[in-house]
């Protein structure tokens, strides 16, 4: 009798365990199918009107149909991106919050010693590369990059970068080093603030992305003097590269996403699928090509390595230039 009861307990226990495992499998499958079921927040360190802010707000309506859920942008400014990184690093890794990655979060991590760094985030995917341009006010006296350099050599130039720890800042520092220009580099918490100072003549030049300044270009309030890249832009075929102007400097900004550590596989998979569909979307393609955004999809596994390699290269440059020890 006792043996029969034990056998029954074992049998019932096996059935319960199997049912539990089946339930967990179904729940996981449902989670994968329903993600995202709620609001997904993309946090950017950019102030309203800045490069990342404009980029994501323009892209989200085209990304939404491919991903699902409800996507929103949240501006978390302060500390050259440190506050935004910390906000996402401390979030629950359930796919509800991400950080809009650009080189800024690498520079801030290396230069500012924040409580949370790029190492506290998990790179998700990259979407685009964004060429950088040097621009000035339409009514300024500068006709090309050479005249800007000449002014800075004979007197004192004032050049603007959107963030103290940024790719734009590095580009200007490299131009100074390559040309011997005597220029002060003024930094801001976002590209929008810097743009205003270029427009009012407080700055000789600014550095940013075409998408960020597009409305002012169309209104003919700005002039682009040079592209800080290897090739001219289709949108601005008459604008030379910095290299063509005799300045051997070239940079490209990456734009992607990172989340809290330990992102679930179903979240990663959903974003990889949506990112590839977005880049191939013919309606959005017209927009990103018009803004000279270059498709740069990088899957999760490779993006982790890409960010690590970029950080090592950047740290090497900063040490060689004496910015950090």
């Amino acid at each position: 009798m006792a043996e029969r009861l034990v056998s029954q307990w074992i049998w019932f226990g096996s059935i319960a365990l199997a049912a539990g495992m089946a339930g967990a499998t179904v729940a996981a499958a449902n989670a994968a199918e329903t993600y995202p079921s709620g609001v997904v927040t993309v946090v950017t360190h950019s102030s309203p009107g800045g490069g990342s802010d404009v980029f994501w707000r323009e892209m989200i309506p085209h990304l939404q149909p491919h991903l699902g859920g409800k996507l929103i942008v949240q501006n978390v400014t302060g500390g050259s991106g440190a506050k935004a990184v910390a906000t996402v690093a401390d979030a629950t890794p359930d796919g509800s919050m991400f950080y809009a990655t650009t080189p800024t979060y690498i520079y801030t991590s290396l230069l500012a010693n924040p409580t949370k760094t790029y190492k506290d985030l998990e790179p998700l995917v990259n979407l685009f590369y964004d060429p950088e341009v040097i621009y000035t006010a339409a009514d300024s006296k500068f006709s090309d990059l050479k005249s800007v350099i000449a002014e800075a050599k004979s007197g004192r130039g004032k050049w603007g970068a959107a963030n103290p720890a940024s790719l734009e800042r590095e580009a200007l520092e490299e131009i100074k080093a390559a040309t011997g220009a005597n220029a002060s580099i003024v930094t801001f918490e976002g590209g929008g603030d810097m743009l205003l100072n270029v427009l009012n003549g407080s700055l000789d030049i600014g550095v940013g992305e075409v998408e960020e300044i597009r409305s002012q270009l169309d209104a003919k309030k700005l002039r682009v003097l040079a592209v800080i890249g290897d090739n001219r832009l289709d949108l601005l075929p008459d604008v030379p590269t910095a290299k063509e102007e005799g300045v051997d400097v070239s940079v490209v900004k990456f734009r992607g996403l990172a989340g809290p550590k330990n992102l679930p596989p179903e979240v990663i998979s959903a974003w990889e699928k949506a990112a590839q569909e977005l880049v191939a979307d013919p309606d959005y393609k017209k927009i990103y090509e018009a803004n000279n955004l270059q498709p740069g999809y990088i899957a999760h596994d490779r993006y982790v390595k890409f960010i690590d390699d970029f950080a090592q290269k950047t740290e090497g440059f900063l040490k060689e230039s004496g910015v950090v020890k």
Side-chain angles (χ1 to χ4, degrees), residues 144-145 224-228 231-232 236-245:
D144 52 26
L145 181 57
V224 177
L225 302 179
V227 178
I228 319 179
N231 302 294
R232 295 191 181 197
L236 304 165
D238 296 327
V239 175
T241 64
K243 289 184 177 182
E244 290 179 285
E245 292 286 275

Side-chain angles (χ1 to χ4, degrees), residues 10 18 59 105 119 135 160 171 173 194 228 256 263 265 290 292:
I10 293 174
M59 184 177 68
Y105 90 121
K119 294 181 180 180
Y135 61 87
E173 294 288 359
M194 180 189 64
I228 319 179
L263 292 169
N292 275 274

Side-chain angles (χ1 to χ4, degrees), residues 29-189:
N30 288 339
E33 290 176 0
T34 58
Y35 174 82
S37 58
V39 175
V40 177
T41 301
V42 176
V43 174
T44 173
H45 61 260
S46 178
S47 58
S52 288
D53 179 72
V54 173
F55 169 77
W56 278 98
R57 290 186 190 279
E58 186 171 55
M59 184 177 68
I60 275 179
H62 302 275
L63 175 61
Q64 189 103 45
H66 299 293
L67 184 69
K70 181 180 180 182
L71 289 160
I72 63 171
V73 175
Q74 181 180 354
N75 302 90
V76 179
T77 59
S80 299
K83 189 175 180 180
V85 168
T87 297
V88 177
D90 291 336
T92 302
D94 58 3
S96 63
M97 180 173 284
F98 297 96
Y99 173 73
T101 55
T102 70
T104 293
Y105 90 121
I106 304 294
Y107 285 93
T108 298
S109 298
L110 297 173
L111 293 172
N113 194 30
T115 55
K116 300 289 184 179
T117 73
Y118 75 93
K119 294 181 180 180
D120 295 299
L121 296 180
E122 181 174 344
L124 179 58
V125 294
N126 195 65
L127 297 166
F128 290 95
Y129 298 117
D130 204 350
E132 300 283 345
V133 297
I134 296 173
Y135 61 87
T136 189
D139 58 356
S140 82
K141 62 183 179 181
F142 302 108
S143 57
D144 52 26
L145 181 57
K146 291 179 180 178
S147 61
V148 174
I149 301 298
E151 173 79 9
K153 284 184 174 181
S154 63
R156 180 75 175 180
K158 292 187 68 175
W159 302 351
N163 199 292
S166 65
L167 185 68
E168 294 86 353
R169 171 71 180 274
E170 179 186 333
L172 292 180
E173 294 288 359
E174 287 192 38
I175 291 173
K176 282 182 62 177
T179 63
N182 181 27
S184 58
I185 299 176
V186 185
T187 59
F188 300 83
E189 277 293 338

